[in-house]
Amino acid sequence: MREWQREALKIAMPWLVIAVLLAVWEISCVVFDVPEIILPRPSKVFAVFVARFDILMAFGWDTLWTTLAGFLLAIAGGLLLGLAIGASPFVYSGLYPLLIAFNAVPKVAIVPILMIWVGIGALPAVITAFVISFFPIVVNVATGLATIEPEMRDVLRSLGATRYEILTKVGIPRAMPYLFASLKVAITLAFIGSVISETVGGNRGIGFLMLSASARNDAPTTFAGLFTIAIMGVLMYAVCALAEKRMTRWAFRGEIVA
Amino acid sequence: MTFVDLAGVSLTYRLGRETTLALADATMSIGKGEFVAVVGPSGCGKSTIMKLVTGLLPATGGEVRVSGQRVTGPIKGVGMAFQNPTLMPWRTTMANILLPMEVVEPHKRRFRRNRADYEAQAMKLLGTVGLADFAQKFPWQLSGGMQQRSNLCRALIHEPELLMLDEPFGALDAFTREELWGVMQALWLEKRFTAVLVTHDLREAVYLADTVYVMSRRPGRIVQSRKIDIPRPRTLATTFEPHFVEIVHELRDRIHQEHAA
């Protein structure tokens, strides 16, 4: 194989795999005569996707903006708390156990409480997305700060740098790759959070759409909803990965030299 | 004139209930503009001396004085270079070297307005170590030797009165190392800062230093102080002269005694 062929194949691979998977799925459904209510054929799902494109878009938009709102809040909050935890041993020992405990609570359980507090609608979805994607950001930012080389710190201290200067000159730049790595995890978690909230108690969004479709035994629409979330998830992940490469080029060393 | 003065300095590390005496009764006085090397068996507390002099570690006993002032906390504006170059990968070589200017007074206040002047100054320093063409490269695009040169530049850019070197050439290959001895010596001859070099390379110590201190095994104490009376500038040829070799052997014997003890 020539070099350009290898490159082209590398780019085509994910699409090929998807195509093969869908083909196997389609053929299995026909061959084994699977009832549509259990597993609809991909072609049927696609047909529904096209037929209900407007409503999927509308509800998809609800899910997307609530997810992004929660995610952005999580970045802001996670960055601040992560910096505080990473920079101060006291904040660390005070808050870390609490954070772990909080993270261990199943997020489904807090949605009903949120509904009592703020009612039904977009707000519980935003809050759930925030709560679920907050933790990995905090942990990663704190880790980035805590792993500064002692020698680097010594160099700065012997120059007479203050704690604040050490934080801004080394701590924050060094925590950035950790932050962006965590964003890739956090964005997918944020989708889970908002969809959970919509499913448990919502009146908008893809989660709500899937729940009501499955209540009507409308499997193709449920699957169309699933695909919509998956596509949004991949797109947002790609945005985060791109931002990571852009913002922390130095952490990818070799790739730029080449 | 004494610039750095250690009087009966000791240091005990405490980890839980266990205490380790890392340094026992170190006494030395380093004159202003003197180049001092500290050698000794590994784990003898050589690096501890560096941390005590710069105030990064408080001494458990005795007294450390720098330019007459008793050291109680990190003293400001010291240049430091370690075996690990510790350059920041997100900054270019130029930006790395300018780091002390952003931290040390009075440069800190002027830095933003006079950035161009400071860059010119850094460029000049980079030129003297042969890195003029690499200012805009990132540290990870440089070889190990080049990184260590940049590290030296960063330690010296703010013209510190005191330069602390902790095995800065330890991780380099023999050719690069010997080349950097020359670079280091040239910088010192030009600026005449006070330097403390911690090393386990005896030839390096003799090549660079005015005085070599030999330390004992842990708990470290200073067992010998040897003036190096070889005229400067010293060259690689100097290291093969009988007198040079003789001093190296003398120091080596002293350290062997420590190992045997």
Side-chain angles (χ1 to χ4, degrees), chain B residues 96-135:
Chain B
N96 262 296
I97 289 169
L98 288 175
L99 175 76
M101 298 310 203
E102 300 169 24
V103 175
V104 178
E105 296 286 4
H107 308 293
K108 191 174 162 175
R109 260 173 291 141
R110 303 188 202 137
F111 186 73
R112 267 173 208 270
R113 261 176 298 132
N114 303 342
R115 193 177 173 110
D117 296 343
Y118 283 115
E119 287 196 352
Q121 191 188 337
M123 235 14 237
K124 208 172 139 239
L125 190 59
L126 277 172
T128 56
V129 301
L131 279 183
D133 298 336
F134 295 88

Side-chain angles (χ1 to χ4, degrees), chain B residues 14-211:
Chain B
R14 203 162 268 124
L15 198 79
R17 271 191 202 167
E18 264 183 61
T19 56
T20 322
L21 185 62
L23 192 69
D25 191 29
T27 300
M28 60 165 99
S29 69
I30 303 166
K32 196 156 181 60
E34 192 181 0
F35 201 121
V36 159
V38 180
V39 297
S42 60
C44 70
K46 298 188 293 264
S47 302
T48 307
I49 287 199
M50 295 221 359
K51 293 204 166 185
L52 288 171
V53 171
T54 50
L56 291 172
L57 271 179
T60 335
E63 198 178 56
V64 182
R65 284 178 175 274
V66 175
S67 63
Q69 295 281 319
R70 190 176 174 163
V71 174
T72 47
I75 51 175
K76 291 185 179 181
V78 179
M80 273 200 143
F82 296 95
Q83 179 172 344
N84 172 359
T86 62
L87 299 167
M88 300 172 174
W90 56 88
R91 289 180 172 224
T92 59
T93 306
M94 171 60 80
N96 262 296
I97 289 169
L98 288 175
L99 175 76
M101 298 310 203
E102 300 169 24
V103 175
V104 178
E105 296 286 4
H107 308 293
K108 191 174 162 175
R109 260 173 291 141
R110 303 188 202 137
F111 186 73
R112 267 173 208 270
R113 261 176 298 132
N114 303 342
R115 193 177 173 110
D117 296 343
Y118 283 115
E119 287 196 352
Q121 191 188 337
M123 235 14 237
K124 208 172 139 239
L125 190 59
L126 277 172
T128 56
V129 301
L131 279 183
D133 298 336
F134 295 88
Q136 295 315 317
K137 293 263 188 277
F138 286 92
W140 34 269
Q141 293 170 313
L142 306 181
S143 69
M146 290 173 170
Q147 288 184 25
Q148 207 49 269
R149 283 164 210 248
S150 325
N151 191 14
L152 289 179
C153 288
R154 183 181 62 184
L156 288 170
I157 183 79
H158 57 297
E159 314 214 318
E161 293 192 294
L162 185 58
L163 178 69
M164 306 300 277
L165 303 162
D166 192 350
E167 295 187 19
F169 314 122
L172 302 173
D173 64 275
F175 300 113
T176 314
R177 193 183 310 154
E178 288 170 354
E179 195 187 326
L180 286 191
W181 295 350
V183 171
M184 187 74 242
Q185 176 178 247
L187 288 169
W188 180 78
L189 285 173
E190 191 193 326
K191 304 192 195 288
R192 291 286 178 167
F193 40 82
T194 309
V196 179
L197 167 74
V198 165
T199 181
H200 49 231
D201 185 337
L202 297 178
R203 291 175 63 233
E204 179 173 307
V206 177
Y207 183 105
L208 284 170
D210 297 316
T211 314

Side-chain angles (χ1 to χ4, degrees), chain A residues 152 154 158-159 165 169 173 250, chain B residues 75 77-78 86 89-90 102 108:
Chain A
M152 191 70 241
D154 281 352
S158 60
L159 286 171
E165 280 171 331
K169 303 237 178 275
W250 57 270
Chain B
I75 51 175
V78 179
T86 62
W90 56 88
E102 300 169 24
K108 191 174 162 175

